[in-house]
């Protein structure tokens, strides 16, 4: 049975472009995988504390020596990493915030980018441990930051996510971007704006299930 991890990070909910597009991906994925399982993770509905010195100390303490307090500190991280390990495919909605990823997504990344769990230095060099997975990142940006545009150098979302997940071992990643969402605040028809992006997402969702992407 195929499993999909569906992550959203936009705080806008019903007005969110990235949430609408990840929802379209999930719907198409379910149609292609009627017996599949979807694990939903809404980062805005998940209490994720910033890491602190105690948390760092816990991850560098051998598991067999963990105190009850350290086990509690790492419980959320363990749960979030298990979601990555136990699912086959990910779809992650990412609105651009200040040229980078939302703070809630960064908090999640800090919990799942964990030595000995999702990457290792066992042989003296870094090795990703999230292997055999594929991911679709659906990004929504207020402006246009496509390659070769004047604003391209300000887009730190895709380079960061590609580098981070590549470091963790996930190299089968597709990035779909809906740029120019700011137009929706200035009278652009939402359905007309979303139509090509919904089509691109649905086409990609079908292709991934057919082994074509």
């Amino acid at each position: 049975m195929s499993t999909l991890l569906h992550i959203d990070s936009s705080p806008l909910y019903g007005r969110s472009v990235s949430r609408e597009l990840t929802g379209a991906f999930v719907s198409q994925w379910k149609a292609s995988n009627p017996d599949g399982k979807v694990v939903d993770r809404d980062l805005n509905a998940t209490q994720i504390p910033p890491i602190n010195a105690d948390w760092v100390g816990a991850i560098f303490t051998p598991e067999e020596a963990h105190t009850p307090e350290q086990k509690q500190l790492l419980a959320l991280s363990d749960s979030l990493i298990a979601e990555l390990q136990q699912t086959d495919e990910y779809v992650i909605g990412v609105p651009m915030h200040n040229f980078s990823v939302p703070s809630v997504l960064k908090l999640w990344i800090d919990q799942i980018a964990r030595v000995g769990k999702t990457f290792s230095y066992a042989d003296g060099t870094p090795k990703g441990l999230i292997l055999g997975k594929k991911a679709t990142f659906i990004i929504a940006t207020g402006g246009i930051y496509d390659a070769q545009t004047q604003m391209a150098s300000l887009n730190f979302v895709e380079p960061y996510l590609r580098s981070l997940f590549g470091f963790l071992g996930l190299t089968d990643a597709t990035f779909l971007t809906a740029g120019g969402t700011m137009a929706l605040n200035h009278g652009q028809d939402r359905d007309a704006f979303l139509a090509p992006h919904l089509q691109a997402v649905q086409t990609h969702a079908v292709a991934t299930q057919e082994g074509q992407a």
Side-chain angles (χ1 to χ4, degrees):
M1 178 179 70
S2 296
T3 55
L4 173 70
L5 176 60
H6 168 210
I7 296 175
D8 276 318
S9 60
S10 172
L12 297 182
Y13 288 90
R15 293 192 296 118
S16 168
V17 168
S18 64
R19 283 180 182 268
E20 184 160 350
L21 295 176
T22 61
F25 183 99
V26 171
S27 295
Q28 184 60 61
W29 188 92
K30 287 180 176 178
S32 301
N33 296 274
D35 298 321
K37 177 183 178 182
V38 177
V39 176
D40 294 303
R41 172 62 66 178
D42 183 348
L43 298 183
N44 280 277
T46 304
Q47 294 296 318
I48 307 179
I51 61 175
N52 57 24
D54 291 337
W55 189 95
V56 174
I59 69 169
F60 285 105
T61 300
E63 288 192 25
E64 62 272 15
H66 280 168
T67 65
E69 291 77 16
Q70 288 177 319
K71 290 178 181 178
Q72 182 59 37
L73 273 175
L74 297 179
L76 175 61
S77 174
D78 289 340
S79 176
L80 297 176
I81 290 171
E83 289 179 347
L84 288 171
Q85 293 171 333
Q86 295 167 9
T87 50
D88 305 304
E89 185 176 354
Y90 318 138
V91 59
I92 303 177
V94 187
M96 176 186 278
H97 285 183
N98 298 315
F99 310 122
S100 187
V101 301
S103 58
V104 292
L105 183 58
K106 181 57 167 64
L107 288 171
W108 175 80
I109 287 170
D110 288 345
Q111 293 287 330
I112 62 95
R114 185 169 148 196
V115 65
K117 295 292 185 179
T118 54
F119 69 95
S120 171
Y121 284 107
D123 60 357
T125 57
K127 178 182 179 182
L129 302 177
I130 300 295
L131 304 174
K133 315 290 186 179
K134 57 185 174 181
T136 299
F137 294 91
I138 298 179
I139 301 168
T141 64
I144 303 293
Y145 300 89
D146 296 343
Q148 311 306 319
T149 66
Q150 185 177 4
M151 302 285 281
S153 64
L154 296 178
N155 179 6
F156 297 97
V157 177
E158 181 176 339
Y160 171 64
L161 292 174
R162 191 180 293 279
S163 298
L164 184 283
F165 279 88
F167 180 83
L168 299 182
L170 193 157
T171 56
D172 187 355
T174 299
F175 291 80
L176 302 176
T177 298
T181 64
M182 189 186 304
L184 298 175
N185 298 328
H186 300 282
Q188 169 74 45
D189 180 76
R190 184 179 177 91
D191 290 340
F193 174 86
L194 284 171
H197 301 298
L198 286 168
Q199 182 61 54
V201 165
Q202 290 164 347
T203 298
H204 173 67
V206 170
T208 59
Q209 304 313 302
E210 295 176 345
Q212 299 175 0

